[in-house]
Amino acid sequence: MPDSNAVRRPARRAGFAVLALAWALSFAAAAAEPARKCVVSAPQRSSAPGASHELAISVNVFAGTRWAPDAVRGAVAESARLLAQCGIDLARIQMCVVDAPPRYRFYSTPVSRELLRKLPVAK
């Protein structure tokens, strides 16, 4: 008759291995959560003499994509010149770089909403 302790030892080791794997995966999942780093700047005031409105804009860019933050800043600066023609002065720019798993980079309404729930974004 086999020793009952001899049968329990491998099962106990397997149980510990499963717990250790679950613990390690929980850390990996936490590391995959989206993160956001922001810089707020005051742009050069547009040449909108007597501007009737001011606009504070928040721009989010995914890290590791072709949309480099410098290119986006250039696009925002260009838009400031267009807005000035309408009497709108760009008062503040918040540029945020979002580091998130690739699944958030493909625009789908449910996935986008999930990302927005996880990140504190300006509305």
Side-chain angles (χ1 to χ4, degrees), residues 83-105:
L83 291 168
Q85 296 173 15
C86 302
I88 301 170
D89 197 18
L90 190 56
R92 182 179 67 90
I93 301 170
Q94 179 183 22
M95 170 70 71
C96 301
V97 178
V98 177
D99 189 9
R103 73 184 202 92
Y104 290 112
R105 297 179 190 171

Side-chain angles (χ1 to χ4, degrees), residues 17-31:
V18 168
L19 285 176
L21 180 61
W23 181 70
L25 288 175
S26 70
F27 279 108

Side-chain angles (χ1 to χ4, degrees), residues 42-68:
Q44 291 181 342
R45 302 308 273 191
S46 64
S47 56
S52 58
H53 295 80
E54 284 189 346
L55 177 66
I57 189 169
S58 179
V59 180
N60 292 282
V61 179
F62 283 108
T65 64
R66 288 188 278 173
W67 285 95

